[in-house]
Amino acid sequence: MIRKILFTAACIASTVVSAQQTIIDNINFDEKTLLVGMASEYNTDSTYHKYNFYIDNPTKLNNVKLNLEYGYEMQNKVTDQNHFMIYAIKDRKIIDQWLVNPRLYNIFHNGVAYSFDADKLENVAKGNPLRYQVETLTFKNQKEYVKAKKELDRNQAIFLMYEPNFTYEGGFEVSIKKTDAIATSEQAEQLVRDLIKTYYKKEVSVQYALNERNLMDRSQFTLSIAGPKTVFDKFKMENAEIGAWITEIYEAVIVKKK
């Protein structure tokens, strides 16, 4: 689960490109906002751990800002399994994020790749080092989670937290081929929503995410659908690839400083 969370990521804000801009120009950093760099846990080596950093002070952020510059937009949108993530975090929630491929000298934001020299991140990490650990907590129901959360809220070492989603029973994915009639992810989402409404009237989550398949295969749109199992049982769509039903596991994922 943590692999999916740290990789996927639908980036929140879009960026207008110009030379000498930094990745944090469009974020309002106050005393409650963090900038955190984290090598993904599932990297096959620890090469990028040297870049890990944690900044919780606007003054410190200004001191390293020049090391966060990005360059021109790149047409070649290539990613590496051993990547590095940078998060803007407020109230233990991600408000913006960037995926860095140090060996490929690029950085992704909002699905767009830009040139980026990741070696400069060592300068950021030198004065702001981070050692972290990820824990996954499983709960039987919402009542059990609410009770545990009181203790979690008091733990000052926790800086990022993904809360369990008690809204849906589970979910599945559907891959739709890109055509002239379905040329954008928004059109694909609307098509699926309209189909589900023909037999289920309550709220269902239908989302296109910047996951690995969508990033690498632009000939299709993979959508994540979350709701009751009856939606999956009745879902039929021609010329679409429908994934298996996955029952929701009520998990909280916490990331904390060591």
Side-chain angles (χ1 to χ4, degrees):
M1 181 176 179
I2 187 63
R3 170 173 180 166
K4 182 177 180 180
I5 291 172
L6 294 180
F7 180 78
T8 121
C11 297
I12 301 171
S14 60
T15 308
V16 179
V17 188
S18 64
Q20 305 304 313
Q21 282 195 324
T22 76
I23 65 174
I24 59 172
D25 286 343
N26 296 324
I27 301 295
N28 179 27
F29 280 90
D30 56 26
E31 294 181 353
K32 294 184 179 180
T33 309
L34 309 174
L35 188 71
V36 180
M38 301 167 60
S40 297
E41 270 205 328
Y42 58 89
N43 281 358
T44 56
D45 59 48
S46 58
T47 303
Y48 302 147
H49 287 194
K50 62 185 178 183
Y51 298 139
N52 288 352
F53 65 84
Y54 179 97
I55 301 176
D56 60 357
N57 183 297
T59 300
K60 289 184 179 181
L61 190 61
N62 287 331
N63 292 338
V64 301
K65 193 172 183 179
L66 293 179
N67 295 292
L68 301 174
E69 290 179 343
Y70 65 90
Y72 56 89
E73 183 175 339
M74 304 178 73
Q75 297 303 315
N76 188 8
K77 298 183 178 182
V78 181
T79 62
D80 190 344
Q81 179 180 1
N82 291 322
H83 58 268
F84 184 84
M85 295 301 301
I86 300 176
Y87 300 107
I89 300 171
K90 190 168 186 176
D91 297 325
R92 295 181 173 179
K93 293 180 174 59
I94 295 171
I95 59 174
D96 209 346
Q97 57 189 323
W98 304 264
L99 187 152
V100 184
N101 296 288
R103 286 186 290 197
L104 302 175
Y105 290 93
N106 68 24
I107 185 169
F108 278 78
H109 185 256
N110 196 37
V112 181
Y114 306 97
S115 61
F116 185 74
D117 183 4
D119 290 339
K120 292 183 179 180
L121 294 178
E122 282 195 77
N123 297 328
V124 181
K126 282 180 181 177
N128 309 278
L130 169 67
R131 293 179 65 244
Y132 75 93
Q133 66 185 65
V134 178
E135 293 183 11
T136 301
L137 309 176
T138 304
F139 301 93
K140 295 179 181 178
N141 50 51
Q142 190 170 9
K143 183 178 180 180
E144 185 180 67
Y145 169 68
V146 170
K147 182 178 180 180
K149 191 174 183 298
K150 294 179 180 179
E151 184 63 30
L152 294 173
D153 287 342
R154 288 192 287 266
N155 190 336
Q156 297 300 311
I158 299 173
F159 61 86
L160 179 59
M161 181 171 177
Y162 300 90
E163 297 186 84
N165 185 352
F166 295 98
T167 305
Y168 306 112
E169 292 179 24
F172 62 101
E173 290 186 343
V174 57
S175 175
I176 303 172
K177 292 182 179 180
K178 187 176 182 180
T179 65
D180 291 340
I182 311 172
T184 68
S185 60
E186 290 80 9
Q187 290 173 328
E189 288 179 347
Q190 192 60 50
L191 179 66
V192 170
R193 289 193 184 99
D194 291 343
L195 174 61
I196 293 174
K197 283 181 181 178
T198 62
Y199 63 88
Y200 187 80
K201 304 302 181 182
K202 295 182 181 180
E203 181 182 357
V204 173
S205 173
V206 179
Q207 292 187 332
Y208 171 87
L210 186 63
N211 56 27
E212 190 169 6
R213 182 171 185 181
N214 284 327
L215 189 63
M216 303 304 295
D217 183 2
R218 296 287 178 168
S219 68
Q220 58 81 53
F221 302 105
T222 296
L223 308 180
S224 297
I225 304 171
K229 192 171 184 297
T230 184
V231 170
F232 171 76
D233 292 337
K234 296 181 179 181
F235 189 89
K236 295 180 180 180
M237 177 178 283
E238 293 184 2
N239 300 319
E241 180 184 332
I242 303 173
W245 169 261
I246 300 175
T247 301
E248 181 66 27
I249 299 175
Y250 300 128
E251 293 180 334
V253 180
I254 62 173
V255 187
K256 61 183 180 180
K257 297 174 71 176
K258 286 186 177 180

